Amino acid sequence: SRMRLLHLVVSFLVWIGSQAETSEDKTDTVSKLDPEQFSLPQDARYIMYDVNRGEGFNLRRDVHMRVAIAVRKLREKGVNAILVLPPWGGLYHWRDRKTGVRWADLFDVPSLNSFVPSIEFEQFLEVASSPTIDRIVYLQHFQEGWDGEYVMKSEKRPCMEGDKYYEKEDGLWKGWFYGLSAVRARDLECVSFQGDSESFAELLARNYTFQSIFVDRAETMLHAEYGGVEYWRARRSMRYSKLLEARAERFIAGEMKEEIDAQPLTERWEDEKASRTSKGGSYVAVHWRRRDFIQAYGSLLPSIKGTAKQITAMAKEFGVKKAFVATDAEEGDIEELRKHLKITLYTFRPRPDEQLIDGAAAIVEQIICSWARVFAGSYVSTFSFRIQEDREIRGFPVETTFRRMCPDDVTMHGCEQPAKWKIVY
Ligand SMILES: Nc1nc2c(ncn2[C@@H]2O[C@H](COP(=O)(O)OP(=O)(O)OP(=O)(O)O)[C@@H](O)[C@H]2O)c(=O)[nH]1
Ligand SMILES: *[C@@H]1O[C@H](CO)[C@@H](O)[C@H](O)[C@H]1NC(C)=O
């Protein structure tokens, strides 16, 4: 554990060093730390969070950005706050039922760390003197609703439901801390909260002294500016793990025999520049969300035949003969789709010996979609939204990105196209 602690301190010094290099960058003064006045872990404040249990992976990524932005704002207020990355797991859509998945298995943690200091939960447990968190703050709504106008407010209130998820044992609170059974919390309080990452940072700075705090139902906190510069900075720092990027590249080159032909990522996300010149491989990509979405949105989604028709039309429009489909569909449905298509259909399925977890395979599919000549997503799917963002970051023309698959009967259901959340720098 001493070795690991040393490793953590070293990575922090590296991180501080990387901040120093960018000292000309006037927009990025927040994360700068003075190593003379800063020692680990004494004056650090650890912030961890969780999201409503039923929420899926890609909405959780969005909540992560809200929290990361809040932690940055807290640092601007002079608090040496460090974001603890919540292990992934217990997700409804992951059929392998994996828990305790580290962020490093899916994302580029050094990149996240250069937006706001971030450590894995297991590293937190190593630096913390005990696996006991100071306080759980359970965010809830105001029971009386929001009275017409939306104002930022927060107030400690009796728990409406928060205490049902925790149980007191030997004077400490027990609950779901990412499935790690030894973790406890000293205090639990419920806070009725109506506000964004800015007002949340204010609340933390003003009302709490803590060494470690666990914010439950973090999705209650809204974005201060959805689609604004800070949003995109957080999003750009959320790069995928290099291994998964490489896996997607191998698939495109090896299986699809295509070239990527997109603006390469710069070494650091901070150096990325606006561009609209990427062409992408000569294939169309579609996110074809099935399973629970069919129950939820039924007639707003295309049938299998309708899907084939739209893929064919899009391939024709862009003059390509290959299609990649990211999908959670049953194999039988994919086979049927293939029968309706004259062009070659590709799907990504990892080999068993690769030991790629469900969550990682899904990301590989997202990456492959993000490098296509054109992409069409599924209606209101956050999985699709994240692909659109990746294409914005990678410099694709807007008209190749913000599309969706339409229902068969457009005259009856319409086919409103997705909002164009264009990247801003
Ligand atoms: N491999 C793979 N998995 C997918 C695909 N679409 C959805 N999934 C899985 O299902 C999950 C979908 O949940 P989210 O990531 O929350 O996205 P969403 O489409 O908004 O779904 P909801 O959470 O149900 O609203 C993904 O994270 C994957 O685990 C796909 O095209 N390929
Ligand atoms: C935070 O502190 C202020 C001022 O002391 C108080 O009015 C407010 O109720 C507190 N909020 C919470 C959520 O504890």
Side-chain angles (χ1 to χ4, degrees):
S1 169
R2 201 151 262 256
M3 269 305 289
R4 302 257 183 100
L5 177 61
L6 184 67
H7 173 79
L8 184 71
V9 172
V10 169
S11 31
F12 248 87
L13 293 176
V14 169
W15 174 80
I16 290 163
S18 72
Q19 294 304 305
E21 276 166 28
T22 63
S23 57
E24 302 84 356
D25 184 355
K26 295 281 182 295
T27 59
D28 191 25
T29 52
V30 190
S31 359
K32 249 175 272 160
L33 293 174
D34 178 2
E36 300 299 324
Q37 295 178 7
F38 173 67
S39 62
L40 266 174
Q42 289 84 347
D43 75 342
R45 304 274 177 270
Y46 296 97
I47 298 175
M48 45 215 105
Y49 71 93
D50 206 357
V51 177
N52 185 22
R53 297 299 305 283
E55 301 295 351
F57 182 76
N58 287 288
L59 179 97
R60 284 165 181 269
R61 287 175 60 186
D62 180 78
V63 176
H64 178 81
M65 288 163 57
R66 302 176 212 175
V67 179
I69 291 169
V71 174
R72 253 181 88 90
K73 289 182 190 292
L74 194 56
R75 297 180 67 79
E76 280 173 44
K77 299 177 198 299
V79 179
N80 180 18
I82 293 170
L83 180 53
V84 181
L85 303 167
W88 294 100
L91 296 179
Y92 165 76
H93 298 100
W94 288 8
R95 276 170 281 157
D96 56 16
R97 306 261 66 100
K98 277 277 184 301
T99 56
V101 176
R102 294 174 313 149
W103 278 64
D105 294 334
L106 304 174
F107 295 98
D108 179 348
V109 173
S111 181
L112 288 166
N113 191 44
S114 67
F115 179 70
V116 73
S118 307
I119 60 172
E120 305 268 8
F121 191 69
E122 62 185 30
Q123 289 174 305
F124 162 75
L125 290 180
E126 282 162 19
V127 293
S129 41
S130 87
T132 306
I133 300 164
D134 289 340
R135 185 182 297 268
I136 302 163
V137 172
Y138 189 99
L139 300 181
Q140 60 188 17
H141 292 286
F142 281 86
Q143 193 156 28
E144 63 273 26
W146 35 296
D147 267 359
E149 72 170 326
Y150 190 89
V151 288
M152 309 275 182
K153 55 178 182 176
S154 60
E155 207 179 301
K156 195 173 158 181
R157 289 274 182 95
C159 294
M160 283 150 71
E161 53 159 29
D163 50 354
K164 292 197 191 83
Y165 298 104
Y166 297 91
E167 189 187 328
K168 212 151 195 185
E169 190 187 84
D170 304 328
L172 294 174
W173 292 97
K174 229 175 109 172
W176 168 264
F177 298 109
Y178 322 112
L180 292 146
S181 55
V183 180
R184 296 284 184 279
R186 258 183 279 281
D187 283 304
L188 163 71
E189 69 182 47
C190 291
V191 171
S192 288
F193 182 80
Q194 186 169 286
D196 59 20
S197 31
E198 173 73 55
S199 53
F200 186 71
E202 260 163 44
L203 174 72
L204 284 191
R206 188 187 57 217
N207 293 52
Y208 297 100
T209 54
F210 59 90
Q211 170 127 75
S212 55
I213 201 164
F214 181 90
V215 182
D216 204 349
R217 300 301 298 267
E219 78 282 3
T220 312
M221 171 200 330
L222 305 176
H223 272 293
E225 197 191 351
Y226 188 86
V229 172
E230 194 68 351
Y231 176 93
W232 280 103
R233 286 171 54 80
R235 181 60 183 81
R236 283 158 57 208
S237 74
M238 193 185 276
R239 289 181 168 183
Y240 302 116
S241 103
K242 293 202 163 63
L243 276 174
L244 299 183
E245 293 255 348
R247 185 65 186 91
E249 281 175 30
R250 270 212 316 284
F251 182 83
I252 293 169
E255 312 267 321
M256 298 182 70
K257 310 270 186 280
E258 279 296 322
E259 279 178 33
I260 291 165
D261 200 358
Q263 178 177 287
L265 288 179
T266 51
E267 188 66 26
R268 300 160 4 108
W269 64 266
E270 295 94 322
D271 300 332
E272 289 163 359
K273 299 237 156 54
S275 155
R276 292 279 175 202
T277 57
S278 290
K279 267 184 78 190
S282 53
Y283 60 96
V284 300
V286 162
H287 176 220
W288 196 38
R289 187 81 161 76
R290 304 282 288 172
R291 294 190 193 258
D292 50 323
F293 251 46
I294 301 179
Q295 270 96 58
Y297 300 108
S299 60
L300 299 176
L301 306 178
S303 67
I304 299 180
K305 215 171 159 182
T307 303
K309 234 168 117 179
Q310 292 174 60
I311 292 175
T312 303
M314 209 159 68
K316 212 168 187 182
E317 182 186 345
F318 284 82
V320 299
K321 296 201 160 56
K322 295 176 188 172
F324 176 79
V325 171
T327 189
D328 58 346
E330 317 271 352
E331 290 306 317
D333 287 357
I334 297 173
E335 278 323 304
E336 198 183 326
L337 176 63
R338 189 166 273 128
K339 277 196 211 116
H340 290 295
L341 285 170
K342 290 206 181 68
I343 60 173
T344 318
L345 174 67
Y346 295 89
T347 53
F348 174 77
R349 293 291 176 259
R351 297 186 313 270
D353 64 296
E354 284 186 75
Q355 302 195 335
L356 217 51
I357 63 169
D358 281 358
I363 286 178
V364 172
E365 289 175 56
Q366 286 180 304
I367 300 171
I368 299 169
C369 288
S370 75
W371 290 335
R373 184 72 40 92
V374 58
F375 169 71
S378 284
Y379 179 61
V380 300
S381 163
T382 55
F383 185 103
S384 296
F385 296 161
R386 300 290 90 84
I387 295 170
Q388 292 167 355
E389 290 165 351
D390 287 325
R391 294 178 62 85
E392 283 294 285
I393 293 168
R394 294 302 286 262
F396 282 91
V398 173
E399 60 279 10
T400 67
T401 292
F402 297 96
R403 299 173 169 235
R404 67 170 264 217
M405 300 300 281
C406 295
D408 288 355
D409 190 349
V410 183
T411 48
M412 183 155 161
H413 301 285
C415 188
E416 197 192 335
Q417 292 302 301
K420 297 187 176 66
W421 289 105
K422 289 185 229 166
I423 193 165
V424 286
Y425 290 88

